[in-house]
Amino acid sequence: MENGAAKPVIVAIDGPSGTGKSSTSKAVAAQLGLSYLDTGAQYRAITWWMVTNGIDIEDPSAIAAVAGKPEIVSGTDPDNPTITVDGTDVSGPIRTQEVTSKVSAVSAVPEVRARITELQRSLAASAEVGMVVEGRDIGTTVLPDADLKIFLTASPEARAARRSGELKGADVNATREALIKRDAADSSRKTSPLAKADDAVEVDTTELTLPQVIECVVTLVEEKRAGK
């Protein structure tokens, strides 16, 4: 950072799953010395808590009633992002198929979004060096005043292939169907839908390698910093 007085920069990276969002966000944060926040992990964490505690996922009012109960703590080191619920490390359990299949329903409940959004804003506000915040509604709802907003996209085929690579043994077609279904659910929900902010820079990652996407985003952040 130039003369140690660089202003903290808040970078919002949104987009559907399978666009390279997490890998890109983590790498950019690490490269530029910024904190990193995976907001999707927070929604997965509250979903895991609901499932573990036997809350009826089909009943929004039941979810709303307990949205304030779990204590969710996110570690923001891009080299070792952590997430705990009531003191328990849940970084593994939140990635199960059971949680993945229920996260859209839980995330759609306004009380859940209000709770998690508040958590995200306080983390971003306290990031001394700045932060890369990755999610689906960061640029539009959570941090509309972010210094830089990036929206990553990719074709459904490319995204499914990447996701199946992550989900061992997954069928590409089934993964593609699941992705399209989840996008539809997240894009059409009334509260903070998945959407591209008007002032976001769109980066189509279909034909790009991960290092190319990272390089592109790092350049955008550096240009933003230099222009301040």
Side-chain angles (χ1 to χ4, degrees), residues 60 62 66 148 163 178:
V66 292
L148 176 64
R163 289 297 282 174

Side-chain angles (χ1 to χ4, degrees), residues 201-215:
V201 179
E202 186 164 326
V203 178
D204 187 335
T205 69
T206 305
E207 303 292 335
L208 301 177
T209 62
L210 184 60
Q212 287 173 323
V213 179
I214 294 164
E215 185 185 358

Side-chain angles (χ1 to χ4, degrees), residues 85-99:
V85 177
D86 298 334
T88 302
D89 173 5
V90 294
S91 49
I94 63 170
R95 302 289 167 192
T96 60
Q97 189 52 48
E98 184 178 23
V99 170

